[in-house]
């Protein structure tokens, strides 16, 4: 079976609707679509619709939400429900991103509720897991990702549209990335837990954390990696196209 590589861009709190339109025009001009490679863009909620419009007719790419609330509607100031994200054009959602867990304090339990809401809403789930530097130095990388995966996925229908992103917290936005071997080792641990939870080998497991044009090829040379989730280096359309050209 040929490997299908997924390149996912997490724009975080960058790129307004107007900037997103300019970005997508440029990206689609310079990017050369390839068989077996797919793309996902996670813009801020206000720019989802602009990206969705730009991607009409580009079936190899989807747009998604960076975060959702688990409730379908109500008095939750500042939050975005799954149905609001979907009506703006989202076909996927990040769940449990490290910044949600460590900056906003999302717990494993809240992450599970968000995952359930995304599944119920029919969107693809991109579940993010990863250990802190303390966990890593204490030899708890696998234990941490196993805990995060189990609390998010135990009892969930293995037929859901699921992607996992392994993002060591200490590597996100820091310029420090896991070595290709470290990433591959963590991915093998994740794959074992997924199998124990009943998820088939087809679930893609991406790597994220300071991925850039200089290190993406070495990371993707590891067969355990099915793609990358990229923050800072995805903010420039030419740079992002150069990264996606490695697929
Ligand atoms: P980074 O972010 O590429 O800027 O490290 C990755 C992420 O947070 O998804």
């Amino acid at each position: 079976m040929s490997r299908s590589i997924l390149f996912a861009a997490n724009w975080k709190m960058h790129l307004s609707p107007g900037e997103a339109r300019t970005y997508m025009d440029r990206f689609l001009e310079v990017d050369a679509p390839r068989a077996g490679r797919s793309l996902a863009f996670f813009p801020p909620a206000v720019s989802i619709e602009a990206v969705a419009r730009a991607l009409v007719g580009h079936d190899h790419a989807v747009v998604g939400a960076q975060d959702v609330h688990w409730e379908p509607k109500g008095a939750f100031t500042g939050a975005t429900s799954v149905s609001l994200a979907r009506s703006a054009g989202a076909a996927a959602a990040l769940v449990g991103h490290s910044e949600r867990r460590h900056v906003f304090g999302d717990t494993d339990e809240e992450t599970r509720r968000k995952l359930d809401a995304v599944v119920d809403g029919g969107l693809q789930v991109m579940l993010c897991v990863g250990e802190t530097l303390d966990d890593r130095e204490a030899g708890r990388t696998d234990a941490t990702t196993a805990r995060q995966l189990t609390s998010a996925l135990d009892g969930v229908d293995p037929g859901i549209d699921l992607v996992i992103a392994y993002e060591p917290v200490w590597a996100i936005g820091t310029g420090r990335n896991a070595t290709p071997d470290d990433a591959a080792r963590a991915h093998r641990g994740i794959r074992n837990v997924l199998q124990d939870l009943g998820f088939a080998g087809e679930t893609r497991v991406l790597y994220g954390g300071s991925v850039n044009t200089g290190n993406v090829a070495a990371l993707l040379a590891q067969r355990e990696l099915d793609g990358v989730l990229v923050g800072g280096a995805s903010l420039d359309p030419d740079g992002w196209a150069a990264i996606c050209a490695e697929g």
Side-chain angles (χ1 to χ4, degrees):
M1 191 180 79
S2 74
R3 189 159 160 242
S4 140
I5 306 280
L6 173 56
F7 290 83
N10 175 12
W11 291 353
K12 307 192 180 186
M13 204 164 70
H14 301 280
L15 302 183
S16 67
E19 289 166 338
R21 277 190 287 277
T22 305
Y23 177 114
M24 294 306 299
D25 283 350
R26 175 66 187 168
F27 177 79
L28 293 170
E29 191 182 311
V30 293
D31 177 60
R34 299 174 180 215
R37 186 202 66 172
S38 50
L39 308 176
F41 293 87
F42 294 93
V46 293
S47 299
I48 290 174
E49 190 168 0
V51 176
R53 286 183 193 280
L55 289 177
V56 170
H58 297 273
D59 294 342
H60 63 298
V62 297
V63 60
Q66 295 174 9
D67 180 50
V68 292
H69 196 278
W70 54 81
E71 292 291 344
K73 61 172 77 159
F76 301 100
T77 300
T80 304
S81 67
V82 174
S83 65
L84 287 173
R86 198 182 45 211
S87 67
L94 296 180
V95 174
H97 186 273
S98 153
E99 284 143 25
R100 295 301 321 173
R101 295 179 191 267
H102 297 285
V103 179
F104 295 96
D106 286 12
T107 62
D108 285 342
E109 191 198 24
E110 288 165 337
T111 300
R112 170 60 181 259
R113 295 177 80 176
K114 290 181 177 188
L115 183 138
D116 287 340
V118 173
V119 171
D120 286 349
L123 304 192
Q124 179 182 71
V125 177
M126 190 174 292
L127 173 65
C128 305
V129 298
E131 82 286 6
T132 63
L133 192 55
D134 281 354
D135 291 329
R136 185 174 195 82
E137 286 174 346
R140 289 196 302 259
T141 296
D142 286 348
T144 303
T145 56
R147 190 201 77 232
Q148 292 169 332
L149 289 166
T150 304
S151 66
L153 295 172
D154 193 22
V156 170
D157 175 359
I160 66 167
D161 189 359
L162 174 70
V163 176
I164 304 295
Y166 167 61
E167 298 201 299
V169 178
W170 49 271
I172 297 177
T174 58
R176 276 184 74 177
N177 65 301
T179 65
D181 282 347
D182 283 342
R185 193 172 309 118
H187 277 231
R188 285 194 289 276
I190 287 168
R191 182 72 64 198
N192 288 339
V193 177
L194 287 174
Q195 262 147 21
D196 289 347
L197 291 166
F199 288 84
E202 291 94 66
T203 302
R204 283 175 292 185
V205 184
L206 315 186
Y207 171 78
S210 297
V211 175
N212 57 41
T213 45
N215 59 28
V216 64
L219 286 161
L220 289 176
Q222 301 288 333
R223 302 297 298 176
E224 287 85 349
L225 275 62
D226 303 307
V228 286
L229 175 58
V230 182
S234 73
L235 291 175
D236 161 60
D238 291 272
W240 180 232
I243 290 175
C244 295
E246 297 292 341

